[in-house]
Amino acid sequence: MMIGRDRLKDITPFVASVEHGSFTAAADSLHLTSSAISKSVARLEARLGSRLFERTTRRLALTDAGQAFYETCTRVLSELAEAESVLAAQRAIPVGRLRIAVPNTFGRMRVMPLINEFCQQNPEMQIALSFSDRFVDLFEEGVDIAIRIGGSTDFPPSLGCRFLGNERLIFCASPDYLAQHGVPDSLQALTERRAIVYDRVDGSTSPWHIRSPDGRTITRTLPYRMALGDGEAQVAAVVAGLGVAQMATWLLEKELASGALVPILPELAVEGLPLFIVWPRRKQLLPKVDALLATLDRLKISQ
């Protein structure tokens, strides 16, 4: 244990020297002497067998090995700080900063109300919430918790995950559209109607998912009247009577309840994409992360 403590003791002066640009400035920040900082870094270089700094008369410059070691050290110190906060946080009040990544439409409609409620109940929390339909790299981008719709379900051991359920996809249209064009009574009749589809970020359009007679789900790409790259805009177009669409029920709850949209051929409803909460597993014990996970668990989708 003594060896481990000695190694950690040398890391702090090294990191301070990098961040302050000189041994003198690092010494001032740590309330040590310049000589103590210099000896600590020299001891570290001797133990590693690598030079960490290119020493010039004006400023310290990291070698390639020094840069790689600095990045490792900052990550280790950050993880130690998180671990200390877990041990020290005996009180139940979550504190600190959380960075969250959510899909655009699902984030606005379903996640944001829960985040607002969470912030009201936890005034010492600071939330940074980003909206994007791309899958963020939690470690690369420093994200604490993310909501994912679709994608691989084979998560690495470094990620914790919580399954929220699968979307339920239904066909729907407005009452005015059905009054004008008739209610489709078969899949063939449905495919003859004007389709309002989702325009994906890669430029393709989402196909319709259809249950085959043998129980499998197949996809069919249809000619469309409108392709919209926003779920709420797609709903608005269907409510306006511009065509029929296949959409997830979580997107349509208000419109279905009010009668602004009507399900078509409900027997053709199929299971859609899976939804997950994911987070770096090493952060799960942090009170702030655990508290938000408990709140977001209410996102579970009922069929």
Side-chain angles (χ1 to χ4, degrees), residues 200-226:
R200 293 167 168 165
V201 292
D202 63 2
S204 65
T205 57
S206 57
W208 280 1
H209 299 263
I210 300 167
R211 192 183 308 278
S212 64
D214 61 4
R216 293 181 301 113
T217 298
I218 60 175
T219 60
R220 182 180 298 182
T221 302
L222 298 163
Y224 58 85
R225 183 179 189 186
M226 296 182 74

mmCIF file with all atom_site columns, all heavy atoms in Angstrom, residues 200-226:
data_model
loop_
_atom_site.group_PDB
_atom_site.id
_atom_site.type_symbol
_atom_site.label_atom_id
_atom_site.label_alt_id
_atom_site.label_comp_id
_atom_site.label_asym_id
_atom_site.label_entity_id
_atom_site.label_seq_id
_atom_site.pdbx_PDB_ins_code
_atom_site.Cartn_x
_atom_site.Cartn_y
_atom_site.Cartn_z
_atom_site.occupancy
_atom_site.B_iso_or_equiv
_atom_site.pdbx_formal_charge
_atom_site.auth_seq_id
_atom_site.auth_comp_id
_atom_site.auth_asym_id
_atom_site.auth_atom_id
_atom_site.pdbx_PDB_model_num
ATOM 1   N N   . ARG A 1 200 ? -34.938 9.838   -42.408 1.00 0.00 ? 200 ARG A N   1
ATOM 2   C CA  . ARG A 1 200 ? -33.815 9.551   -41.510 1.00 0.00 ? 200 ARG A CA  1
ATOM 3   C C   . ARG A 1 200 ? -32.655 10.499  -41.761 1.00 0.00 ? 200 ARG A C   1
ATOM 4   O O   . ARG A 1 200 ? -32.554 11.140  -42.823 1.00 0.00 ? 200 ARG A O   1
ATOM 5   C CB  . ARG A 1 200 ? -33.351 8.108   -41.703 1.00 0.00 ? 200 ARG A CB  1
ATOM 6   C CG  . ARG A 1 200 ? -34.372 7.058   -41.266 1.00 0.00 ? 200 ARG A CG  1
ATOM 7   C CD  . ARG A 1 200 ? -33.954 5.707   -41.781 1.00 0.00 ? 200 ARG A CD  1
ATOM 8   N NE  . ARG A 1 200 ? -34.704 4.613   -41.174 1.00 0.00 ? 200 ARG A NE  1
ATOM 9   C CZ  . ARG A 1 200 ? -34.721 3.386   -41.678 1.00 0.00 ? 200 ARG A CZ  1
ATOM 10  N NH1 . ARG A 1 200 ? -34.043 3.093   -42.772 1.00 0.00 ? 200 ARG A NH1 1
ATOM 11  N NH2 . ARG A 1 200 ? -35.423 2.436   -41.073 1.00 0.00 ? 200 ARG A NH2 1
ATOM 12  N N   . VAL A 1 201 ? -31.732 10.528  -40.769 1.00 0.00 ? 201 VAL A N   1
ATOM 13  C CA  . VAL A 1 201 ? -30.578 11.429  -40.882 1.00 0.00 ? 201 VAL A CA  1
ATOM 14  C C   . VAL A 1 201 ? -29.643 11.013  -42.010 1.00 0.00 ? 201 VAL A C   1
ATOM 15  O O   . VAL A 1 201 ? -28.871 11.833  -42.514 1.00 0.00 ? 201 VAL A O   1
ATOM 16  C CB  . VAL A 1 201 ? -29.802 11.488  -39.548 1.00 0.00 ? 201 VAL A CB  1
ATOM 17  C CG1 . VAL A 1 201 ? -30.622 12.167  -38.475 1.00 0.00 ? 201 VAL A CG1 1
ATOM 18  C CG2 . VAL A 1 201 ? -29.375 10.094  -39.087 1.00 0.00 ? 201 VAL A CG2 1
ATOM 19  N N   . ASP A 1 202 ? -29.685 9.735   -42.423 1.00 0.00 ? 202 ASP A N   1
ATOM 20  C CA  . ASP A 1 202 ? -28.808 9.284   -43.508 1.00 0.00 ? 202 ASP A CA  1
ATOM 21  C C   . ASP A 1 202 ? -29.412 9.512   -44.886 1.00 0.00 ? 202 ASP A C   1
ATOM 22  O O   . ASP A 1 202 ? -28.841 9.116   -45.904 1.00 0.00 ? 202 ASP A O   1
ATOM 23  C CB  . ASP A 1 202 ? -28.441 7.810   -43.332 1.00 0.00 ? 202 ASP A CB  1
ATOM 24  C CG  . ASP A 1 202 ? -29.659 6.882   -43.414 1.00 0.00 ? 202 ASP A CG  1
ATOM 25  O OD1 . ASP A 1 202 ? -30.790 7.375   -43.654 1.00 0.00 ? 202 ASP A OD1 1
ATOM 26  O OD2 . ASP A 1 202 ? -29.490 5.664   -43.235 1.00 0.00 ? 202 ASP A OD2 1
ATOM 27  N N   . GLY A 1 203 ? -30.569 10.150  -44.951 1.00 0.00 ? 203 GLY A N   1
ATOM 28  C CA  . GLY A 1 203 ? -31.200 10.453  -46.235 1.00 0.00 ? 203 GLY A CA  1
ATOM 29  C C   . GLY A 1 203 ? -32.218 9.425   -46.694 1.00 0.00 ? 203 GLY A C   1
ATOM 30  O O   . GLY A 1 203 ? -32.952 9.672   -47.652 1.00 0.00 ? 203 GLY A O   1
ATOM 31  N N   . SER A 1 204 ? -32.286 8.272   -46.026 1.00 0.00 ? 204 SER A N   1
ATOM 32  C CA  . SER A 1 204 ? -33.292 7.272   -46.379 1.00 0.00 ? 204 SER A CA  1
ATOM 33  C C   . SER A 1 204 ? -34.588 7.566   -45.628 1.00 0.00 ? 204 SER A C   1
ATOM 34  O O   . SER A 1 204 ? -34.623 8.414   -44.730 1.00 0.00 ? 204 SER A O   1
ATOM 35  C CB  . SER A 1 204 ? -32.791 5.865   -46.024 1.00 0.00 ? 204 SER A CB  1
ATOM 36  O OG  . SER A 1 204 ? -32.636 5.739   -44.613 1.00 0.00 ? 204 SER A OG  1
ATOM 37  N N   . THR A 1 205 ? -35.645 6.884   -46.022 1.00 0.00 ? 205 THR A N   1
ATOM 38  C CA  . THR A 1 205 ? -36.915 7.043   -45.323 1.00 0.00 ? 205 THR A CA  1
ATOM 39  C C   . THR A 1 205 ? -37.245 5.747   -44.587 1.00 0.00 ? 205 THR A C   1
ATOM 40  O O   . THR A 1 205 ? -36.875 4.661   -45.030 1.00 0.00 ? 205 THR A O   1
ATOM 41  C CB  . THR A 1 205 ? -38.061 7.386   -46.290 1.00 0.00 ? 205 THR A CB  1
ATOM 42  O OG1 . THR A 1 205 ? -38.150 6.362   -47.299 1.00 0.00 ? 205 THR A OG1 1
ATOM 43  C CG2 . THR A 1 205 ? -37.815 8.732   -46.952 1.00 0.00 ? 205 THR A CG2 1
ATOM 44  N N   . SER A 1 206 ? -37.920 5.877   -43.460 1.00 0.00 ? 206 SER A N   1
ATOM 45  C CA  . SER A 1 206 ? -38.261 4.676   -42.690 1.00 0.00 ? 206 SER A CA  1
ATOM 46  C C   . SER A 1 206 ? -39.348 3.894   -43.418 1.00 0.00 ? 206 SER A C   1
ATOM 47  O O   . SER A 1 206 ? -40.355 4.463   -43.845 1.00 0.00 ? 206 SER A O   1
ATOM 48  C CB  . SER A 1 206 ? -38.738 5.060   -41.295 1.00 0.00 ? 206 SER A CB  1
ATOM 49  O OG  . SER A 1 206 ? -39.846 5.931   -41.372 1.00 0.00 ? 206 SER A OG  1
ATOM 50  N N   . PRO A 1 207 ? -39.161 2.586   -43.581 1.00 0.00 ? 207 PRO A N   1
ATOM 51  C CA  . PRO A 1 207 ? -40.181 1.776   -44.250 1.00 0.00 ? 207 PRO A CA  1
ATOM 52  C C   . PRO A 1 207 ? -41.327 1.467   -43.290 1.00 0.00 ? 207 PRO A C   1
ATOM 53  O O   . PRO A 1 207 ? -41.240 1.709   -42.089 1.00 0.00 ? 207 PRO A O   1
ATOM 54  C CB  . PRO A 1 207 ? -39.412 0.495   -44.601 1.00 0.00 ? 207 PRO A CB  1
ATOM 55  C CG  . PRO A 1 207 ? -38.403 0.376   -43.507 1.00 0.00 ? 207 PRO A CG  1
ATOM 56  C CD  . PRO A 1 207 ? -38.005 1.789   -43.164 1.00 0.00 ? 207 PRO A CD  1
ATOM 57  N N   . TRP A 1 208 ? -42.395 0.927   -43.834 1.00 0.00 ? 208 TRP A N   1
ATOM 58  C CA  . TRP A 1 208 ? -43.459 0.412   -42.997 1.00 0.00 ? 208 TRP A CA  1
ATOM 59  C C   . TRP A 1 208 ? -43.081 -0.996  -42.550 1.00 0.00 ? 208 TRP A C   1
ATOM 60  O O   . TRP A 1 208 ? -42.519 -1.786  -43.312 1.00 0.00 ? 208 TRP A O   1
ATOM 61  C CB  . TRP A 1 208 ? -44.782 0.373   -43.762 1.00 0.00 ? 208 TRP A CB  1
ATOM 62  C CG  . TRP A 1 208 ? -45.450 1.718   -43.818 1.00 0.00 ? 208 TRP A CG  1
ATOM 63  C CD1 . TRP A 1 208 ? -44.988 2.881   -43.297 1.00 0.00 ? 208 TRP A CD1 1
ATOM 64  C CD2 . TRP A 1 208 ? -46.715 2.018   -44.425 1.00 0.00 ? 208 TRP A CD2 1
ATOM 65  N NE1 . TRP A 1 208 ? -45.883 3.897   -43.535 1.00 0.00 ? 208 TRP A NE1 1
ATOM 66  C CE2 . TRP A 1 208 ? -46.949 3.400   -44.225 1.00 0.00 ? 208 TRP A CE2 1
ATOM 67  C CE3 . TRP A 1 208 ? -47.656 1.256   -45.105 1.00 0.00 ? 208 TRP A CE3 1
ATOM 68  C CZ2 . TRP A 1 208 ? -48.096 4.027   -44.695 1.00 0.00 ? 208 TRP A CZ2 1
ATOM 69  C CZ3 . TRP A 1 208 ? -48.810 1.887   -45.571 1.00 0.00 ? 208 TRP A CZ3 1
ATOM 70  C CH2 . TRP A 1 208 ? -49.022 3.268   -45.363 1.00 0.00 ? 208 TRP A CH2 1
ATOM 71  N N   . HIS A 1 209 ? -43.406 -1.304  -41.291 1.00 0.00 ? 209 HIS A N   1
ATOM 72  C CA  . HIS A 1 209 ? -43.147 -2.629  -40.731 1.00 0.00 ? 209 HIS A CA  1
ATOM 73  C C   . HIS A 1 209 ? -44.482 -3.371  -40.698 1.00 0.00 ? 209 HIS A C   1
ATOM 74  O O   . HIS A 1 209 ? -45.441 -2.899  -40.077 1.00 0.00 ? 209 HIS A O   1
ATOM 75  C CB  . HIS A 1 209 ? -42.552 -2.513  -39.337 1.00 0.00 ? 209 HIS A CB  1
ATOM 76  C CG  . HIS A 1 209 ? -41.238 -1.787  -39.318 1.00 0.00 ? 209 HIS A CG  1
ATOM 77  N ND1 . HIS A 1 209 ? -40.023 -2.432  -39.324 1.00 0.00 ? 209 HIS A ND1 1
ATOM 78  C CD2 . HIS A 1 209 ? -40.944 -0.455  -39.319 1.00 0.00 ? 209 HIS A CD2 1
ATOM 79  C CE1 . HIS A 1 209 ? -39.043 -1.537  -39.319 1.00 0.00 ? 209 HIS A CE1 1
ATOM 80  N NE2 . HIS A 1 209 ? -39.582 -0.335  -39.323 1.00 0.00 ? 209 HIS A NE2 1
ATOM 81  N N   . ILE A 1 210 ? -44.517 -4.511  -41.352 1.00 0.00 ? 210 ILE A N   1
ATOM 82  C CA  . ILE A 1 210 ? -45.783 -5.217  -41.568 1.00 0.00 ? 210 ILE A CA  1
ATOM 83  C C   . ILE A 1 210 ? -45.641 -6.661  -41.104 1.00 0.00 ? 210 ILE A C   1
ATOM 84  O O   . ILE A 1 210 ? -44.637 -7.328  -41.394 1.00 0.00 ? 210 ILE A O   1
ATOM 85  C CB  . ILE A 1 210 ? -46.173 -5.177  -43.057 1.00 0.00 ? 210 ILE A CB  1
ATOM 86  C CG1 . ILE A 1 210 ? -46.336 -3.701  -43.507 1.00 0.00 ? 210 ILE A CG1 1
ATOM 87  C CG2 . ILE A 1 210 ? -47.447 -5.965  -43.316 1.00 0.00 ? 210 ILE A CG2 1
ATOM 88  C CD1 . ILE A 1 210 ? -46.405 -3.534  -45.001 1.00 0.00 ? 210 ILE A CD1 1
ATOM 89  N N   . ARG A 1 211 ? -46.654 -7.130  -40.386 1.00 0.00 ? 211 ARG A N   1
ATOM 90  C CA  . ARG A 1 211 ? -46.647 -8.511  -39.926 1.00 0.00 ? 211 ARG A CA  1
ATOM 91  C C   . ARG A 1 211 ? -47.110 -9.420  -41.070 1.00 0.00 ? 211 ARG A C   1
ATOM 92  O O   . ARG A 1 211 ? -48.210 -9.253  -41.619 1.00 0.00 ? 211 ARG A O   1
ATOM 93  C CB  . ARG A 1 211 ? -47.562 -8.686  -38.710 1.00 0.00 ? 211 ARG A CB  1
ATOM 94  C CG  . ARG A 1 211 ? -47.387 -10.033 -38.012 1.00 0.00 ? 211 ARG A CG  1
ATOM 95  C CD  . ARG A 1 211 ? -48.381 -10.179 -36.853 1.00 0.00 ? 211 ARG A CD  1
ATOM 96  N NE  . ARG A 1 211 ? -48.332 -9.052  -35.953 1.00 0.00 ? 211 ARG A NE  1
ATOM 97  C CZ  . ARG A 1 211 ? -47.425 -8.913  -34.990 1.00 0.00 ? 211 ARG A CZ  1
ATOM 98  N NH1 . ARG A 1 211 ? -46.482 -9.813  -34.856 1.00 0.00 ? 211 ARG A NH1 1
ATOM 99  N NH2 . ARG A 1 211 ? -47.459 -7.858  -34.187 1.00 0.00 ? 211 ARG A NH2 1
ATOM 100 N N   . SER A 1 212 ? -46.271 -10.381 -41.426 1.00 0.00 ? 212 SER A N   1
ATOM 101 C CA  . SER A 1 212 ? -46.610 -11.316 -42.495 1.00 0.00 ? 212 SER A CA  1
ATOM 102 C C   . SER A 1 212 ? -47.551 -12.401 -41.968 1.00 0.00 ? 212 SER A C   1
ATOM 103 O O   . SER A 1 212 ? -47.679 -12.572 -40.745 1.00 0.00 ? 212 SER A O   1
ATOM 104 C CB  . SER A 1 212 ? -45.337 -11.960 -43.062 1.00 0.00 ? 212 SER A CB  1
ATOM 105 O OG  . SER A 1 212 ? -44.698 -12.736 -42.064 1.00 0.00 ? 212 SER A OG  1
ATOM 106 N N   . PRO A 1 213 ? -48.214 -13.151 -42.856 1.00 0.00 ? 213 PRO A N   1
ATOM 107 C CA  . PRO A 1 213 ? -49.142 -14.197 -42.409 1.00 0.00 ? 213 PRO A CA  1
ATOM 108 C C   . PRO A 1 213 ? -48.500 -15.235 -41.496 1.00 0.00 ? 213 PRO A C   1
ATOM 109 O O   . PRO A 1 213 ? -49.179 -15.830 -40.653 1.00 0.00 ? 213 PRO A O   1
ATOM 110 C CB  . PRO A 1 213 ? -49.605 -14.834 -43.728 1.00 0.00 ? 213 PRO A CB  1
ATOM 111 C CG  . PRO A 1 213 ? -49.463 -13.729 -44.730 1.00 0.00 ? 213 PRO A CG  1
ATOM 112 C CD  . PRO A 1 213 ? -48.248 -12.969 -44.312 1.00 0.00 ? 213 PRO A CD  1
ATOM 113 N N   . ASP A 1 214 ? -47.183 -15.471 -41.646 1.00 0.00 ? 214 ASP A N   1
ATOM 114 C CA  . ASP A 1 214 ? -46.524 -16.467 -40.796 1.00 0.00 ? 214 ASP A CA  1
ATOM 115 C C   . ASP A 1 214 ? -46.003 -15.870 -39.484 1.00 0.00 ? 214 ASP A C   1
ATOM 116 O O   . ASP A 1 214 ? -45.283 -16.526 -38.726 1.00 0.00 ? 214 ASP A O   1
ATOM 117 C CB  . ASP A 1 214 ? -45.383 -17.148 -41.553 1.00 0.00 ? 214 ASP A CB  1
ATOM 118 C CG  . ASP A 1 214 ? -44.295 -16.163 -41.991 1.00 0.00 ? 214 ASP A CG  1
ATOM 119 O OD1 . ASP A 1 214 ? -44.398 -14.967 -41.638 1.00 0.00 ? 214 ASP A OD1 1
ATOM 120 O OD2 . ASP A 1 214 ? -43.352 -16.593 -42.669 1.00 0.00 ? 214 ASP A OD2 1
ATOM 121 N N   . GLY A 1 215 ? -46.361 -14.604 -39.202 1.00 0.00 ? 215 GLY A N   1
ATOM 122 C CA  . GLY A 1 215 ? -46.000 -13.999 -37.932 1.00 0.00 ? 215 GLY A CA  1
ATOM 123 C C   . GLY A 1 215 ? -44.714 -13.199 -37.935 1.00 0.00 ? 215 GLY A C   1
ATOM 124 O O   . GLY A 1 215 ? -44.384 -12.545 -36.939 1.00 0.00 ? 215 GLY A O   1
ATOM 125 N N   . ARG A 1 216 ? -43.960 -13.241 -39.019 1.00 0.00 ? 216 ARG A N   1
ATOM 126 C CA  . ARG A 1 216 ? -42.729 -12.463 -39.094 1.00 0.00 ? 216 ARG A CA  1
ATOM 127 C C   . ARG A 1 216 ? -43.048 -11.000 -39.403 1.00 0.00 ? 216 ARG A C   1
ATOM 128 O O   . ARG A 1 216 ? -44.107 -10.684 -39.946 1.00 0.00 ? 216 ARG A O   1
ATOM 129 C CB  . ARG A 1 216 ? -41.806 -13.019 -40.180 1.00 0.00 ? 216 ARG A CB  1
ATOM 130 C CG  . ARG A 1 216 ? -41.262 -14.405 -39.890 1.00 0.00 ? 216 ARG A CG  1
ATOM 131 C CD  . ARG A 1 216 ? -40.338 -14.895 -40.998 1.00 0.00 ? 216 ARG A CD  1
ATOM 132 N NE  . ARG A 1 216 ? -41.023 -14.950 -42.280 1.00 0.00 ? 216 ARG A NE  1
ATOM 133 C CZ  . ARG A 1 216 ? -40.740 -14.157 -43.325 1.00 0.00 ? 216 ARG A CZ  1
ATOM 134 N NH1 . ARG A 1 216 ? -39.805 -13.233 -43.218 1.00 0.00 ? 216 ARG A NH1 1
ATOM 135 N NH2 . ARG A 1 216 ? -41.407 -14.288 -44.462 1.00 0.00 ? 216 ARG A NH2 1
ATOM 136 N N   . THR A 1 217 ? -42.115 -10.111 -39.052 1.00 0.00 ? 217 THR A N   1
ATOM 137 C CA  . THR A 1 217 ? -42.268 -8.695  -39.399 1.00 0.00 ? 217 THR A CA  1
ATOM 138 C C   . THR A 1 217 ? -41.374 -8.396  -40.593 1.00 0.00 ? 217 THR A C   1
ATOM 139 O O   . THR A 1 217 ? -40.163 -8.622  -40.550 1.00 0.00 ? 217 THR A O   1
ATOM 140 C CB  . THR A 1 217 ? -41.881 -7.792  -38.219 1.00 0.00 ? 217 THR A CB  1
ATOM 141 O OG1 . THR A 1 217 ? -42.755 -8.067  -37.124 1.00 0.00 ? 217 THR A OG1 1
ATOM 142 C CG2 . THR A 1 217 ? -42.006 -6.324  -38.599 1.00 0.00 ? 217 THR A CG2 1
ATOM 143 N N   . ILE A 1 218 ? -42.001 -7.912  -41.654 1.00 0.00 ? 218 ILE A N   1
ATOM 144 C CA  . ILE A 1 218 ? -41.251 -7.557  -42.855 1.00 0.00 ? 218 ILE A CA  1
ATOM 145 C C   . ILE A 1 218 ? -41.345 -6.048  -43.064 1.00 0.00 ? 218 ILE A C   1
ATOM 146 O O   . ILE A 1 218 ? -42.182 -5.374  -42.454 1.00 0.00 ? 218 ILE A O   1
ATOM 147 C CB  . ILE A 1 218 ? -41.790 -8.310  -44.093 1.00 0.00 ? 218 ILE A CB  1
ATOM 148 C CG1 . ILE A 1 218 ? -43.272 -7.953  -44.323 1.00 0.00 ? 218 ILE A CG1 1
ATOM 149 C CG2 . ILE A 1 218 ? -41.625 -9.810  -43.932 1.00 0.00 ? 218 ILE A CG2 1
ATOM 150 C CD1 . ILE A 1 218 ? -43.854 -8.560  -45.590 1.00 0.00 ? 218 ILE A CD1 1
ATOM 151 N N   . THR A 1 219 ? -40.458 -5.518  -43.890 1.00 0.00 ? 219 THR A N   1
ATOM 152 C CA  . THR A 1 219 ? -40.482 -4.080  -44.161 1.00 0.00 ? 219 THR A CA  1
ATOM 153 C C   . THR A 1 219 ? -40.843 -3.830  -45.617 1.00 0.00 ? 219 THR A C   1
ATOM 154 O O   . THR A 1 219 ? -40.523 -4.632  -46.495 1.00 0.00 ? 219 THR A O   1
ATOM 155 C CB  . THR A 1 219 ? -39.113 -3.435  -43.857 1.00 0.00 ? 219 THR A CB  1
ATOM 156 O OG1 . THR A 1 219 ? -38.103 -4.041  -44.675 1.00 0.00 ? 219 THR A OG1 1
ATOM 157 C CG2 . THR A 1 219 ? -38.752 -3.600  -42.392 1.00 0.00 ? 219 THR A CG2 1
ATOM 158 N N   . ARG A 1 220 ? -41.514 -2.716  -45.831 1.00 0.00 ? 220 ARG A N   1
ATOM 159 C CA  . ARG A 1 220 ? -41.892 -2.331  -47.199 1.00 0.00 ? 220 ARG A CA  1
ATOM 160 C C   . ARG A 1 220 ? -41.726 -0.822  -47.343 1.00 0.00 ? 220 ARG A C   1
ATOM 161 O O   . ARG A 1 220 ? -42.283 -0.054  -46.568 1.00 0.00 ? 220 ARG A O   1
ATOM 162 C CB  . ARG A 1 220 ? -43.342 -2.733  -47.491 1.00 0.00 ? 220 ARG A CB  1
ATOM 163 C CG  . ARG A 1 220 ? -43.780 -2.393  -48.912 1.00 0.00 ? 220 ARG A CG  1
ATOM 164 C CD  . ARG A 1 220 ? -45.220 -2.798  -49.173 1.00 0.00 ? 220 ARG A CD  1
ATOM 165 N NE  . ARG A 1 220 ? -45.401 -4.243  -49.046 1.00 0.00 ? 220 ARG A NE  1
ATOM 166 C CZ  . ARG A 1 220 ? -46.566 -4.858  -49.269 1.00 0.00 ? 220 ARG A CZ  1
ATOM 167 N NH1 . ARG A 1 220 ? -47.639 -4.129  -49.595 1.00 0.00 ? 220 ARG A NH1 1
ATOM 168 N NH2 . ARG A 1 220 ? -46.671 -6.162  -49.146 1.00 0.00 ? 220 ARG A NH2 1
ATOM 169 N N   . THR A 1 221 ? -40.912 -0.429  -48.326 1.00 0.00 ? 221 THR A N   1
ATOM 170 C CA  . THR A 1 221 ? -40.719 0.986   -48.617 1.00 0.00 ? 221 THR A CA  1
ATOM 171 C C   . THR A 1 221 ? -41.753 1.423   -49.643 1.00 0.00 ? 221 THR A C   1
ATOM 172 O O   . THR A 1 221 ? -41.903 0.806   -50.698 1.00 0.00 ? 221 THR A O   1
ATOM 173 C CB  . THR A 1 221 ? -39.303 1.247   -49.152 1.00 0.00 ? 221 THR A CB  1
ATOM 174 O OG1 . THR A 1 221 ? -38.355 0.805   -48.178 1.00 0.00 ? 221 THR A OG1 1
ATOM 175 C CG2 . THR A 1 221 ? -39.086 2.726   -49.428 1.00 0.00 ? 221 THR A CG2 1
ATOM 176 N N   . LEU A 1 222 ? -42.482 2.502   -49.307 1.00 0.00 ? 222 LEU A N   1
ATOM 177 C CA  . LEU A 1 222 ? -43.608 2.937   -50.128 1.00 0.00 ? 222 LEU A CA  1
ATOM 178 C C   . LEU A 1 222 ? -43.349 4.306   -50.749 1.00 0.00 ? 222 LEU A C   1
ATOM 179 O O   . LEU A 1 222 ? -42.576 5.109   -50.201 1.00 0.00 ? 222 LEU A O   1
ATOM 180 C CB  . LEU A 1 222 ? -44.873 3.027   -49.273 1.00 0.00 ? 222 LEU A CB  1
ATOM 181 C CG  . LEU A 1 222 ? -45.354 1.728   -48.635 1.00 0.00 ? 222 LEU A CG  1
ATOM 182 C CD1 . LEU A 1 222 ? -46.310 2.040   -47.527 1.00 0.00 ? 222 LEU A CD1 1
ATOM 183 C CD2 . LEU A 1 222 ? -46.016 0.860   -49.673 1.00 0.00 ? 222 LEU A CD2 1
ATOM 184 N N   . PRO A 1 223 ? -44.018 4.593   -51.884 1.00 0.00 ? 223 PRO A N   1
ATOM 185 C CA  . PRO A 1 223 ? -44.017 5.984   -52.356 1.00 0.00 ? 223 PRO A CA  1
ATOM 186 C C   . PRO A 1 223 ? -44.671 6.849   -51.289 1.00 0.00 ? 223 PRO A C   1
ATOM 187 O O   . PRO A 1 223 ? -45.600 6.412   -50.604 1.00 0.00 ? 223 PRO A O   1
ATOM 188 C CB  . PRO A 1 223 ? -44.881 5.928   -53.632 1.00 0.00 ? 223 PRO A CB  1
ATOM 189 C CG  . PRO A 1 223 ? -44.898 4.492   -54.035 1.00 0.00 ? 223 PRO A CG  1
ATOM 190 C CD  . PRO A 1 223 ? -44.802 3.705   -52.766 1.00 0.00 ? 223 PRO A CD  1
ATOM 191 N N   . TYR A 1 224 ? -44.184 8.047   -51.111 1.00 0.00 ? 224 TYR A N   1
ATOM 192 C CA  . TYR A 1 224 ? -44.717 8.878   -50.039 1.00 0.00 ? 224 TYR A CA  1
ATOM 193 C C   . TYR A 1 224 ? -45.124 10.245  -50.562 1.00 0.00 ? 224 TYR A C   1
ATOM 194 O O   . TYR A 1 224 ? -44.629 10.731  -51.578 1.00 0.00 ? 224 TYR A O   1
ATOM 195 C CB  . TYR A 1 224 ? -43.688 9.041   -48.917 1.00 0.00 ? 224 TYR A CB  1
ATOM 196 C CG  . TYR A 1 224 ? -42.368 9.636   -49.362 1.00 0.00 ? 224 TYR A CG  1
ATOM 197 C CD1 . TYR A 1 224 ? -42.201 11.011  -49.455 1.00 0.00 ? 224 TYR A CD1 1
ATOM 198 C CD2 . TYR A 1 224 ? -41.294 8.813   -49.684 1.00 0.00 ? 224 TYR A CD2 1
ATOM 199 C CE1 . TYR A 1 224 ? -40.998 11.553  -49.862 1.00 0.00 ? 224 TYR A CE1 1
ATOM 200 C CE2 . TYR A 1 224 ? -40.086 9.348   -50.094 1.00 0.00 ? 224 TYR A CE2 1
ATOM 201 C CZ  . TYR A 1 224 ? -39.939 10.718  -50.175 1.00 0.00 ? 224 TYR A CZ  1
ATOM 202 O OH  . TYR A 1 224 ? -38.751 11.252  -50.586 1.00 0.00 ? 224 TYR A OH  1
ATOM 203 N N   . ARG A 1 225 ? -46.034 10.865  -49.811 1.00 0.00 ? 225 ARG A N   1
ATOM 204 C CA  . ARG A 1 225 ? -46.418 12.238  -50.113 1.00 0.00 ? 225 ARG A CA  1
ATOM 205 C C   . ARG A 1 225 ? -45.483 13.216  -49.420 1.00 0.00 ? 225 ARG A C   1
ATOM 206 O O   . ARG A 1 225 ? -45.112 14.236  -49.976 1.00 0.00 ? 225 ARG A O   1
ATOM 207 C CB  . ARG A 1 225 ? -47.854 12.502  -49.675 1.00 0.00 ? 225 ARG A CB  1
ATOM 208 C CG  . ARG A 1 225 ? -48.311 13.919  -50.040 1.00 0.00 ? 225 ARG A CG  1
ATOM 209 C CD  . ARG A 1 225 ? -49.735 14.194  -49.652 1.00 0.00 ? 225 ARG A CD  1
ATOM 210 N NE  . ARG A 1 225 ? -50.179 15.466  -50.211 1.00 0.00 ? 225 ARG A NE  1
ATOM 211 C CZ  . ARG A 1 225 ? -51.352 16.023  -49.936 1.00 0.00 ? 225 ARG A CZ  1
ATOM 212 N NH1 . ARG A 1 225 ? -52.197 15.423  -49.125 1.00 0.00 ? 225 ARG A NH1 1
ATOM 213 N NH2 . ARG A 1 225 ? -51.683 17.178  -50.489 1.00 0.00 ? 225 ARG A NH2 1
ATOM 214 N N   . MET A 1 226 ? -45.130 12.878  -48.177 1.00 0.00 ? 226 MET A N   1
ATOM 215 C CA  . MET A 1 226 ? -44.223 13.731  -47.415 1.00 0.00 ? 226 MET A CA  1
ATOM 216 C C   . MET A 1 226 ? -43.252 12.854  -46.637 1.00 0.00 ? 226 MET A C   1
ATOM 217 O O   . MET A 1 226 ? -43.629 11.811  -46.119 1.00 0.00 ? 226 MET A O   1
ATOM 218 C CB  . MET A 1 226 ? -44.987 14.635  -46.429 1.00 0.00 ? 226 MET A CB  1
ATOM 219 C CG  . MET A 1 226 ? -45.912 15.637  -47.066 1.00 0.00 ? 226 MET A CG  1
ATOM 220 S SD  . MET A 1 226 ? -46.708 16.686  -45.795 1.00 0.00 ? 226 MET A SD  1
ATOM 221 C CE  . MET A 1 226 ? -45.324 17.734  -45.321 1.00 0.00 ? 226 MET A CE  1
#
